[in-house]
Each structure stands twice: as structure tokens, then as C-alpha cells.
Amino acid sequence: MSILKPDFRFEKITDIKAELLLENKIKIVLLDADNTLSFHGSKKPFPGVPEWLSEIKKSGIVPVIISNNSERRIKPFAKKLGLDYVSKSKKPLSKGFKSALEKFGFEPGDSAVIGDQLFTDVLGGRILGAKVILTEPLGPETDRFIKIKRFFEKPLR
């Protein structure tokens, strides 16, 4: 299996059913924020995301935002959604992921990383040893560095 190959692919996060996660013994989902839960840099979640999070929580799965963004960006967004978070996580490195797992008492095998980028979310999830779910980016990229990463991702998606 390629280190950049996800276990599952979905158009958007709201297409992922809690049943699928439970069937795969997922107890915690480590969620990317930008272009997964909201447009890049937006404080407003995509339509359906709050309801999806409610269903995930009802199923007993713990959702946590894991972002490379600053606390200034992620804290108010996470608070609005009622989620815990790790900012400046340095994905694809495992430190941010492991911090969330330790806080809630889970192991990598209990987790799924959900995000829209191959070189941060998918690679980070693989390094961690989690299940990996890739979503399509749902908005335009505004950051030049991410635009460059998308260029290199395109043939690999």
C-alpha cells in the first residue's frame, strides 16, 4: 500500500457515515479544518457539518480538529463547533495527532484521520498508523504554499 493512498475516499466529510467508522473500530476522528470542515480560513463550517458532527458524537466517536493553523484561527472555529483541537500540529508529523490521542486515551489504531491533502492528512495518518479518509477540497486555495502542494498532489490523487 502506498503511503499516500487513503483507506477511503469521499467527496465531502458529510458523506462519511458513522456506521462506516464504527465498522472499522474507529473511536476518534482527527479532522482537518480548512477545505474539509470549512473554506480555507473561514469561521463558518460547510453546510451540514454541524449536523454531521452531532451524528458522530451521538455514535460515541470523539471528533477533534488537528490543524497546522495557529490557535488564533482554530480556537474560535473549534469553539463554535463544540470541538477540542490541536493547533500548529505540524502535520504530517505525528506529534499533534498523538497529543489528541493521549488526551482522550486512545491508540492510533482507534483513530481515523480525515482531510483533503495528501502530503499532510494522508501521509500524517499513515505515519501515525491510523485509518485514513481523503475528502475532496471543497474550495479554492488562497495560500500559495498549498497551491504548490496541490500541483504536486494532482497526479497522485
Side-chain angles (χ1 to χ4, degrees):
M1 174 185 301
S2 168
I3 197 156
L4 295 176
K5 186 175 191 274
D7 295 295
F8 303 97
R9 291 174 179 265
F10 289 91
E11 173 90 17
K12 56 189 186 273
I13 197 165
T14 54
D15 293 338
I16 303 166
K17 302 298 178 211
E19 294 80 20
L20 173 75
L21 299 171
L22 292 170
E23 287 169 8
N24 284 276
K25 301 184 180 5
I26 303 303
K27 298 175 185 167
I28 184 170
V29 286
L30 307 170
L31 309 168
D32 178 49
D34 290 326
N35 273 333
T36 302
L37 297 174
S38 69
F39 285 117
H40 194 91
S42 174
K43 293 181 178 141
K44 184 178 175 187
F46 287 128
V49 165
E51 295 82 4
W52 180 82
L53 287 168
S54 178
E55 287 301 312
I56 294 300
K57 289 176 184 178
K58 276 189 218 172
S59 74
I61 298 168
V62 177
V64 180
I65 295 174
I66 308 293
S67 177
N68 285 344
N69 273 297
S70 68
E71 179 148 346
R72 182 172 171 234
R73 153 71 176 121
I74 295 303
K75 184 177 181 177
F77 182 69
K79 184 177 181 180
K80 184 176 198 169
L81 293 173
L83 298 180
D84 208 322
Y85 67 93
V86 175
S87 60
K88 294 188 177 184
S89 65
K90 298 183 181 175
K91 293 184 291 184
L93 302 178
S94 296
K95 184 180 179 191
F97 295 121
K98 286 180 179 178
S99 173
L101 294 177
E102 288 170 10
K103 180 174 185 172
F104 290 97
F106 293 116
E107 297 294 322
D110 299 326
S111 67
V113 173
I114 303 175
D116 68 303
Q117 291 190 50
L118 290 179
F119 300 126
T120 55
D121 305 312
V122 174
L123 180 58
R126 285 282 170 244
I127 292 169
L128 179 67
K131 292 276 188 223
V132 179
I133 303 173
L134 180 67
T135 60
E136 293 300 316
L138 295 179
E141 295 301 347
T142 55
D143 181 270
R144 196 168 98 164
F145 181 65
I146 295 174
K147 286 180 183 180
I148 293 167
K149 284 196 295 185
R150 292 283 189 218
F151 174 80
F152 289 105
E153 268 188 9
K154 199 168 189 166
L156 302 172
R157 286 183 83 89

